[in-house]
Amino acid sequence: MREPEYEIINGQSGLPTVRVRLPDGRAIMLHSNYDPVGEGEQMAALQDIGQAGVVIVFGCGLGYHLEAALRNCPEDSPVIIIERFPGLVSRTLEDRPHLQAKRAVVSTSEIPGIEAALDIVRPAFFRRRGAVVIEHPPSVSADPEFYRKAWERLRDSLSQLKLGANTSAKIGWLFARNFFENIPLLAQDPCVSRLFGMFKGVPAVLVASGPSLDKNIDLVKEAKGKAVIIAMGSAYEALHRRGIVPDLTVAVDPGETSNRSHFEGRGSDETALIYESKTYPGIPREFTGPRFSFFQDYPMARWLFKSIGSRSDFPMGLTVATSAFGVAARLGCNPKILVGQDFAFIQNQTHSAGIGIAKDFPIEAELTVPAAVGGGMVPTTHIFNSFRLALEGLYWQDTRAGGLVIDATEGGALKAHTQIMTLREAIGRYCTREAPALNQIREIWESGRSGRGVLIKTARAMRSLFRRLKKFRAKLYYGLVNIEELRRLLSAIEAPHMGSFHSSLARRAKEMFNTVWEENQEINRYPDLVNLLHLTASYMTFGREIKEMTVEQKIEENGAYYAEMLIGCDIILQPLEKSADILADILEETAGINQKAKAGRP
Amino acid sequence: MSKELILAQAGGLLETLAEMTHYLAGLIYSGKSNQVTEEIPGYLEGLDALFKALRASGEELGWLEAETAALAGPLERLSRAINDRDWVSVSDTLLYELLPRLTGWRERISEVSAGAGTRIRNN
């Protein structure tokens, strides 16, 4: 079937418009011949954008409606453009450079690229504003199937983002606590980017702990030395139980219980740990092999980068599977052989029997998806499914860059952009040569560890943050007390039969309102601390949840905001102080060693 | 029915057709083109009723024949755009080709109505 084609022509108004020739021979216009500007204005007026945090555009055309729609939108709100014809986006941005003067504009003309586009603007979702979708109906009618599929992908990706946000809202305190507890190691350990490009063309065997792993786990051993074996979180335990030592293990899970089962007592000098900065601190602390850190892009990480230097980040998504795949891609590994990545249940099992807590996972199928092997459907959950969709976006990017992703799970859900193969076949075909760089990982870790200067800088930054957070906490506390007083005064004014007392109350309420307002201004003078505390609060909103509020609602909202940040301060202050002490001890110890070394010098 | 009443009816129809033009364009702008397909027959019936009313008035409407002939082009384009589901061209034809003509007719009919009223009073 032919693809639709477009041409830009000059309309009767003298302004450009677009004619699209469709595969069935029809031709349709994307903009008015007579008044494309007026038409764009009217289309935009019908879409409710308001104070959108992120604007998602379905169909750009030449941007007439976009120009009008963005006029009333915050100038820093990023825009994601999903457009069937990438040339139209380029032309729009060429003709209207001001659209991206103060905001990020990312676009995609391919459906799997939606995930990557969302990833770029991910931090913007964590503001107290919603994501809004605006549609250009003529563009959508030029290829309804494309936009239907794009919409489905967007909906799934947004639900995954929301899942991440909900996770942040629920366990943001855990992320924050772990991050500050991990600082002494984060400041010392090199970033995983030190390994990037080291394994160009070497196969990676990415081992997850899905139930199919039990079928072929013993074969993984055959890839040892000929591929980079990467264990994802709990798969480390399953491999360890079978006496298989992976080259790398990736950890992102912040929780203590599961991580104890997967890692405790399973240290190995032959495996390098790659850990995200908010991982449960017990893992890096007790790991005996080389350690490499990586960071999701968030304010706490950016604060630490000022001391330890900026660390390369990469689109790692929310799960250990996306992180591990991202690591394998950045190492240069090819092909990437997936093992134990089911994203589905097998005989009511969600995980390999090789992990101790496999039986603890509740199993309730919510949907069925096509099976990877043998046809038919397999049961799964929405969460597993959203993980698969996120990974399919990465597989797609990888294959577009010339990579090959092999699904050697031998079961589970069918994955787009992969080749299905048995693990035996994949190893036999691709893991045929020694992988020379594997023995260099420890050296790189040792040579990449931070020097004393970085540790001193980090320790100072921690002490300074500790002092500032304590002051900020006091401001939040007094702010909350005064908000409570203002609330009390306002409700007293509402009460009947106040008589002459009413005007006195009103005067006091006005004074208190001014105090609360000034305190709010004062608190807003600490944007770095407000940002830093975002992980401990549930800031992510979807849809237009924040609308015009009454004064009472604004006071209420501010009170909730202060309370969340106050709790955030309490969560951070303790591990911050503890980590600062640990760093001070390390510095004292190394100073002693240095002095001894100096004293011993002839 | 008196000529004056028929012309008043025609004026009313023209007003409805103008409103309907904006309504149809609004549906297109908001992506509700399926509804446009449902509403268009009503719009065309309205145009037909307008012609019939004007002819029934017996008024000297030489301009009407010329205008009817001039409508052939836009109506053909409208029909083709609807068949092609080319909704931008549908709204262009409605707003920039048909609506100006309908507005022009309304003015003329107002003039004719005023003239007819004067003649009736003089008789």
Side-chain angles (χ1 to χ4, degrees):
Chain A
M1 194 172 164
R2 271 174 47 220
E3 291 288 302
E5 289 168 358
Y6 74 89
E7 57 177 327
I8 298 175
I9 52 175
N10 268 341
Q12 301 215 8
S13 62
L15 291 168
T17 176
V18 180
R19 182 189 289 133
V20 181
R21 294 216 168 273
L22 301 174
D24 60 9
R26 289 183 294 134
I28 65 166
M29 302 299 293
L30 296 192
H31 304 291
S32 169
N33 239 321
Y34 296 90
D35 183 12
V37 175
E39 181 193 61
E41 296 280 349
Q42 291 196 50
M43 279 182 182
L46 291 164
Q47 317 239 13
D48 194 3
I49 295 178
Q51 294 295 300
V54 176
V55 180
I56 301 168
V57 180
F58 266 63
C60 172
L62 291 174
Y64 292 105
H65 74 303
L66 188 59
E67 172 91 47
L70 293 181
R71 206 172 295 136
N72 298 321
C73 180
E75 57 184 13
D76 61 339
S77 296
V79 176
I80 297 175
I81 300 174
I82 299 162
E83 166 58 59
R84 174 69 176 74
F85 304 111
L88 293 181
V89 182
S90 311
R91 171 74 187 258
T92 299
L93 297 178
E94 245 169 57
D95 290 351
R96 306 169 196 275
H98 54 278
L99 290 184
Q100 48 183 352
K102 289 189 178 166
R103 59 162 59 88
V105 177
V106 285
S107 67
T108 180
S109 60
E110 295 184 67
I111 289 157
I114 291 173
E115 179 69 24
L118 280 174
D119 215 48
I120 293 169
V121 302
R122 189 187 295 274
F125 278 100
F126 288 88
R127 293 180 195 147
R128 295 201 139 197
R129 302 197 304 245
V132 170
V133 175
I134 62 171
E135 190 182 286
H136 184 234
S139 297
V140 173
S141 71
D143 194 344
E145 189 58 11
F146 168 82
Y147 287 101
R148 185 187 63 75
K149 284 183 183 162
W151 174 250
E152 282 176 5
R153 175 56 71 112
L154 177 74
R155 191 194 52 204
D156 289 335
S157 303
L158 282 176
S159 76
Q160 211 210 351
L161 259 178
K162 194 162 189 172
L163 176 76
N166 288 343
T167 309
S168 273
K170 279 185 195 149
I171 57 169
W173 63 272
L174 187 59
F175 285 157
R177 197 191 68 189
N178 288 354
F179 176 85
F180 284 100
E181 273 195 35
N182 278 332
I183 286 181
L185 290 182
L186 291 170
Q188 294 177 73
D189 289 334
C191 178
V192 68
S193 58
R194 298 294 285 253
L195 301 175
F196 286 176
M198 260 186 76
F199 296 97
K200 272 201 180 118
V202 177
V205 178
L206 289 146
V207 188
S209 61
S212 291
L213 181 62
D214 297 338
K215 288 184 200 168
N216 53 14
I217 186 166
D218 291 325
L219 270 178
V220 174
K221 209 178 285 177
E222 292 183 19
K224 186 73 185 166
K226 294 167 185 166
V228 185
I229 300 174
I230 305 175
M232 303 178 202
S234 53
Y236 182 69
E237 179 187 349
L239 290 170
H240 190 269
R241 281 173 189 262
R242 297 288 184 134
I244 302 166
V245 182
D247 300 300
L248 307 171
T249 183
V250 180
V252 300
D253 191 345
E256 180 178 351
T257 317
S258 55
N259 278 314
R260 286 205 152 182
S261 159
H262 307 325
F263 289 94
E264 210 168 72
R266 301 185 200 282
S268 161
D269 288 352
E270 292 171 50
T271 303
L273 173 71
I274 296 174
Y275 66 105
E276 207 285 320
S277 57
K278 302 182 293 299
T279 305
Y280 167 62
I283 302 178
R285 200 169 48 220
E286 288 160 30
F287 204 85
T288 53
R291 292 179 309 256
F292 295 88
S293 61
F294 68 97
F295 296 80
Q296 279 183 327
D297 179 24
Y298 58 98
M300 288 181 196
R302 286 194 289 271
W303 166 78
L304 186 62
F305 292 166
K306 283 183 199 156
S307 305
I308 66 171
S310 183
R311 299 290 167 102
S312 157
D313 65 293
F314 56 96
M316 61 201 63
L318 297 163
T319 67
V320 68
T322 45
S323 301
F325 191 89
V327 166
R330 294 301 193 284
L331 294 178
C333 293
N334 196 49
K336 291 152 202 85
I337 302 166
L338 314 176
V339 184
Q341 292 216 346
D342 289 89
F343 303 116
F345 310 161
I346 292 183
Q347 290 166 347
N348 283 345
Q349 283 296 310
T350 54
H351 286 73
S352 156
I355 64 166
I357 53 169
K359 290 183 188 69
D360 298 344
F361 290 95
I363 309 152
E364 208 168 305
E366 292 164 341
L367 71 159
T368 58
V369 292
V373 178
M377 307 291 276
V378 282
T380 187
T381 62
H382 290 297
I383 290 182
F384 277 0
N385 204 38
S386 68
F387 292 166
R388 177 178 60 81
L389 289 168
L391 273 155
E392 284 178 349
L394 297 181
Y395 303 158
W396 170 78
Q397 281 180 317
D398 195 71
T399 48
R400 256 172 51 118
L404 171 64
V405 185
I406 295 169
D407 182 12
T409 297
E410 301 181 25
L414 182 68
K415 299 158 202 80
H417 316 292
T418 64
Q419 266 187 33
I420 297 173
M421 222 178 264
T422 63
L423 181 57
R424 184 173 295 284
E425 192 186 350
I427 292 175
R429 203 186 283 185
Y430 296 102
C431 306
T432 53
R433 286 181 301 174
E434 293 295 315
L438 282 169
N439 50 12
Q440 293 170 21
I441 291 177
R442 177 170 279 279
E443 284 170 33
I444 292 170
W445 175 59
E446 279 168 357
S447 65
R449 302 191 77 197
S450 305
R452 203 175 146 75
V454 170
L455 302 191
I456 291 172
K457 209 171 165 190
T458 309
R460 277 186 194 144
M462 289 173 88
R463 292 281 175 217
S464 156
L465 179 64
F466 185 79
R467 283 192 298 271
R468 291 184 69 224
L469 269 178
K470 278 205 117 175
K471 263 192 204 169
F472 190 59
R473 188 192 179 285
K475 284 184 198 300
L476 290 168
Y477 178 78
Y478 288 118
L480 263 177
V481 169
N482 288 334
I483 282 176
E484 195 48 49
E485 176 64 7
L486 179 59
R487 242 189 236 148
R488 196 186 62 75
L489 287 167
L490 288 174
S491 74
I493 289 170
E494 294 293 312
H497 317 302
M498 294 303 290
S500 59
F501 196 49
H502 186 277
S503 58
S504 155
L505 275 178
R507 199 178 53 248
R508 282 174 58 201
K510 198 179 169 195
E511 282 167 12
M512 189 49 77
F513 184 85
N514 289 338
T515 308
V516 166
W517 174 252
E518 279 162 23
E519 278 167 347
N520 185 255
Q521 299 291 306
E522 178 65 19
I523 282 165
N524 285 335
R525 270 183 214 119
Y526 293 80
D528 61 325
L529 296 184
V530 172
N531 264 337
L532 198 70
L533 291 164
H534 98 267
L535 256 184
T536 59
S538 50
Y539 280 11
M540 194 163 175
T541 55
F542 281 87
R544 300 199 57 238
E545 289 165 24
I546 308 297
K547 292 183 179 166
E548 281 303 306
M549 290 188 280
T550 62
V551 173
E552 285 81 4
Q553 284 169 326
K554 278 181 184 160
I555 293 167
E556 197 75 31
E557 174 77 5
N558 257 14
Y561 184 48
Y562 289 4
E564 281 179 348
M565 286 196 290
L566 189 80
I567 293 168
C569 288
D570 289 343
I571 290 165
I572 290 173
L573 281 166
Q574 195 196 5
L576 181 63
E577 191 175 27
K578 188 175 146 194
S579 287
D581 288 345
I582 292 172
L583 258 189
D585 288 347
I586 293 170
L587 284 166
E588 208 169 290
E589 247 174 59
T590 52
I593 291 165
N594 285 349
Q595 273 174 356
K596 274 181 201 164
K598 271 181 198 166
R601 218 178 278 160
Chain B
M1 201 187 287
S2 76
K3 187 188 290 179
E4 209 174 16
L5 196 59
I6 293 172
L7 286 175
Q9 264 185 354
L13 265 171
L14 277 165
E15 200 169 318
T16 308
L17 283 167
E19 277 169 16
M20 208 166 165
T21 305
H22 289 294
Y23 171 66
L24 290 170
L27 287 177
I28 290 168
Y29 293 157
S30 53
K32 293 173 184 158
S33 39
N34 284 346
Q35 258 175 274
V36 178
T37 322
E38 286 168 22
E39 300 283 353
I40 279 282
Y43 178 84
L44 296 175
E45 275 167 27
L47 266 183
D48 194 44
L50 176 70
F51 292 138
K52 281 181 184 153
L54 289 172
R55 286 198 182 102
S57 70
E59 183 59 41
E60 267 303 306
L61 295 171
W63 57 271
L64 183 63
E65 295 309 318
E67 281 293 314
T68 312
L71 269 191
L75 283 177
E76 197 192 318
R77 280 193 286 282
L78 182 68
S79 161
R80 198 169 50 232
I82 292 167
N83 279 338
D84 284 351
R85 297 188 294 287
D86 177 5
W87 302 112
V88 168
S89 297
V90 169
S91 66
D92 265 358
T93 313
L94 289 170
L95 283 174
Y96 301 104
E97 298 191 43
L98 291 172
L99 186 61
R101 288 189 182 276
L102 298 181
T103 312
W105 292 11
R106 213 173 143 201
E107 281 160 14
R108 283 182 181 228
I109 286 169
S110 306
E111 285 166 20
V112 172
S113 291
T118 313
R119 278 202 296 279
I120 289 164
R121 275 197 301 278
N122 290 343
N123 289 341

